[in-house]
Structure formats: structure tokens, C-alpha cells
Amino acid sequence: MTADQKISASSLTAVKPDEDAFKNDPTATLEGVRGKDVTKAAKQLLRESAKRGGGSIQMQDVVKIYPGSTKRALDDFNLDIKPGEMVVLLGGSGCGKSTALRSLAGLEDIQGGRIMVGGQDVTGVPVNKREMAMVFQAYSLFPHMTALENVAFGLEVRGVGKEERRKVAMEQLELVGLADQAKKYTQQMSGGQQQRVALARALAIKPRVLLLDEPLSALDAKVRVQLRDEIRRIQLNTGTTTVFVTHDQEEALAVADRIGVMNKGKIEQIAAPQDLYQRPATEYVATFIGLTNRLPGASNGEEAVVFGQRLPLLPGSTKGDAVAVLVRPENLTLALPSQHDSHVGERARVEVIHFLGSLVRVDTVITSGEYQRWNKGEQLKVTVQLPASELPAGLVVGDDVVVTPRAVAALAC
């Protein structure tokens, strides 16, 4: 069996075989798991994935320049995805994430680099020959067809017989929880149901790669959460290699095996959600993902002193006597002056208290004026997040507090 026929352990997550079976070999082959406690469904999943060439993706030094522009929408863009993995491309408007997805799908011509899928070079290969399926923000369903007919449409185009395509379409509708809606016309369905039909239609053709271009952005908040979890469940069950584009951080953190944070046509960092959040490699990543405080400090490249507290620093941190140290709100503590007996920390005044259920977020402003010059003449504002049980009793807006960093690794820039 070739390297291209290997499959990632992530595609087995849903069926939970032996949790240690792939610990030391994340690209274990069919032979490697034979004899292990793997379910029949998981074995079938492995066979299908290997048969389809594994669904690995490599985008190598891809350049995309739109007609009439000299700016690179993709600038020597590189992306490597293992079979069965869900990778989310995350970034603000104009960063190139949708361009990357469309270039992978073959919807955009590229001016440089190459694209490999399952070990095969598909650069220049027509869209309908790439064995991919795409789900857009707009559902693009046929209003004159039922849900069943919409899902079966791609199979009909491929010459699949009537009975077989009906059988497959019903299986996909069942997978997305809409088997009882098969005979409904799509305009009779809610937005969330229509997007489920679009997803079922994409999966029905058994694509090597599933591409999702902001598929949830047109839905209301509650439906978005439900459907994003449903998409992740389905992706794990099918083991389909998936690329998901979004600008929503929470969405990305909730569903991804890895997240690629894009900026100016390139991926600044790609990592597992927890690693990306806790160990950002650049200032852009640290400030784009989650909330971050920019605090003044002195750094030797390995540790920094912030508000009198020594903090270990992440790789790539800057040295200097007046650097910005990026500290997450949950990596700060807050206490009343009467309860604070340490020599570290800075006095602050409470401006806003946000109650978030089990958590509380407190916006403060540092009262010492010595930081204003560092902060370009502005008062230094600091946000602290802590469990509601740790909020000082009786704390109200206007109270004086002491803010202290925890000794958790941060990035200095």
C-alpha cells in the first residue's frame, strides 16, 4: 500500500476504536489496524478512504492574481491536509480564504504553484474531474424538486440508476436527520433544513474532498450552533477530508482538527485549536483569535516582567525594555487591595462587569499614569476573565482592584 493510501487517525474519531491504536502512528494503514478492536464500520471507512486515494491535499506555492489587479490574492500559499482531517481556514475579509477554497475546487485559475489531491496533480484539471463537492453560503437548491430529488440530482448526472440513487439519497437524508422530510419541496423548509439538504447532496456523490464556504453565515445564531455540531458529527462519521472556510472564530474552534489563520494571502499559523489559542506564533494570530491584552513589559526573549510578575515567553518573542506582552484575560487575576498582599500587580479601577453565566469578564483601567506614555497617551485598559465563584464579593463598577498576571507563557512583540 502506498503512502497516499494511508489514513489519518482523525477520521476514526467518531467510531472510537482503540484509543491507543494510532497514538504512535497517525498514518496507520489498514494492515496496521488489522486485529485491533476496530468496528466493522471503521474498517469499511478505511477501505473506502483508501480506495478514493485517501483524500490528502497539498497546495504548494499557489499564486492567484485576479484579472486587472497586481495584488496577489494568494501569495505562495501552502497547505497540507491529511486524509480524513477537517481543516478550517479562518481570517478576516479579503485575507484569501475563499480564494484558496475556490482555487482548490478548480473554480479559479491559478498563476503559479500546483495542487495535489490524493497524490495526484489536479492543477488545471476541470472542476467536474476533481471528485470534490462544495457547499456554499447560498444553498443553491432546486425549488421545483423535493429534498430527495435535490440530493439525488448529482447521482443522476453521473448516470446512477434510479433505484440506486434513491437509496443513496435516502441514506444521506437520514445521515443529516431529514429522512422524514424527503418528499418536501425545499422552499417549504427552514434555512437550517435547506443547508442540511445541500450538505446531503454534496455527500451523496462520495467526494474525496468536501469544501464548505461559510455555509452557516446566513443562519441565526442558535441554528448555526446546532448545524455546525451536526456538520462535525457527519464529517467524523464519513471520514471525508474537509476544508471549511469561515470568519467566525468560535465556529472554527468548535469544529476543526486544525485551524489555518490567514492574512494577506498566506497562512500565518496552522495548528490544533488549543495550540493555536494557547501558543500563537505571531501577533496577528494572538490578537485575531480570542481576546488579548497588550501589556507593557521588559523581555529578554525567554521571559518577561509584566506588572512586576515574571512570565515565560513563547518562541518568537521579541527582546526589549519596552515590549508589548500579549496576555489572555483568563491569565490575569483580580483582587481587592485589602485582600492583596503580594508585591506584584497594578492598581486598576473597575469600568464594566460582564456576567457570562459561569464566567465573569471585568473591564478595568490601570490607575497609574506611568503607562500612558507607553500606550500613546491613552489610559491602559485591561480585561480580566475569571470564574464567577472567584469574583470578589460585592465588587461593583468604580471599585479599586489589583490586576496581576499569572505565570503563563505569553508572546512578546
Side-chain angles (χ1 to χ4, degrees), residues 390-405:
E390 294 181 13
L391 186 71
L395 187 73
V396 296
V397 171
D399 281 355
D400 288 332
V401 292
V402 179
V403 174
T404 308

Side-chain angles (χ1 to χ4, degrees), residues 252-281:
L253 292 167
V255 303
D257 289 311
R258 289 187 299 152
I259 299 172
V261 179
M262 290 193 63
N263 184 29
K264 297 179 180 178
K266 292 185 176 183
I267 292 179
E268 289 227 352
Q269 185 179 359
I270 184 166
Q274 187 172 355
D275 290 341
L276 199 70
Y277 183 82
Q278 295 179 345
R279 303 181 66 82

Side-chain angles (χ1 to χ4, degrees), residues 14-57:
V15 292
K16 291 287 184 187
D18 180 356
E19 290 193 0
D20 295 323
F22 296 87
K23 186 179 292 183
N24 300 316
D25 184 7
T27 56
T29 62
L30 269 173
E31 287 79 5
V33 299
R34 195 163 283 152
K36 302 293 184 180
D37 182 23
V38 182
T39 67
K40 182 178 179 181
K43 289 181 180 179
Q44 181 62 28
L45 175 59
L46 284 166
R47 292 191 189 97
E48 289 177 358
S49 183
K51 184 178 179 181
R52 294 197 303 266
S56 62
I57 296 169

Side-chain angles (χ1 to χ4, degrees), residues 193-405:
Q193 288 175 326
Q194 289 183 49
Q195 195 61 293
R196 279 184 166 89
V197 174
L199 180 61
R201 182 176 63 183
L203 292 170
I205 62 171
K206 296 192 178 351
R208 284 201 292 182
V209 176
L210 177 63
L211 307 176
L212 304 170
D213 191 5
E214 304 213 37
L216 309 179
S217 57
L219 305 174
D220 65 61
K222 184 176 181 180
V223 175
R224 286 183 71 160
V225 171
Q226 292 173 340
L227 193 48
R228 84 177 183 206
D229 294 342
E230 191 76 1
I231 286 173
R232 180 55 165 162
R233 177 189 67 80
I234 292 167
Q235 188 270 334
L236 289 170
N237 283 343
T238 61
T240 305
T241 306
T242 302
V243 186
F244 190 127
V245 162
T246 184
H247 63 273
D248 188 301
Q249 298 174 30
E250 183 180 335
E251 202 165 89
L253 292 167
V255 303
D257 289 311
R258 289 187 299 152
I259 299 172
V261 179
M262 290 193 63
N263 184 29
K264 297 179 180 178
K266 292 185 176 183
I267 292 179
E268 289 227 352
Q269 185 179 359
I270 184 166
Q274 187 172 355
D275 290 341
L276 199 70
Y277 183 82
Q278 295 179 345
R279 303 181 66 82
T282 68
E283 181 179 2
Y284 179 82
V285 173
T287 54
F288 188 81
I289 299 286
L291 297 176
T292 302
N293 294 290
R294 293 174 58 88
L295 305 182
S299 160
N300 63 10
E302 294 184 358
E303 65 177 9
V305 177
V306 179
F307 294 172
Q309 174 74 282
R310 290 180 178 272
L311 307 181
L313 291 178
L314 294 170
S317 288
T318 301
K319 297 180 182 180
D321 294 332
V323 298
V325 182
L326 307 179
V327 180
R328 300 290 189 192
E330 64 270 22
N331 293 334
L332 293 162
T333 64
L334 182 149
L336 296 174
S338 60
Q339 299 171 345
H340 185 78
D341 56 4
S342 174
H343 65 283
V344 299
E346 283 290 341
R347 285 286 189 103
R349 184 179 64 254
V350 175
E351 287 200 321
V352 184
I353 300 174
H354 308 270
F355 290 96
L356 307 173
S358 61
L359 298 174
V360 177
R361 190 174 297 152
V362 183
D363 295 335
T364 71
V365 59
I366 301 299
T367 53
S368 173
E370 67 178 283
Y371 297 111
Q372 285 189 237
R373 184 184 302 174
W374 178 86
N375 202 35
K376 300 179 180 179
E378 299 290 331
Q379 287 184 306
L380 181 63
K381 296 188 176 184
V382 180
T383 297
V384 182
Q385 182 171 291
L386 63 162
S389 59
E390 294 181 13
L391 186 71
L395 187 73
V396 296
V397 171
D399 281 355
D400 288 332
V401 292
V402 179
V403 174
T404 308

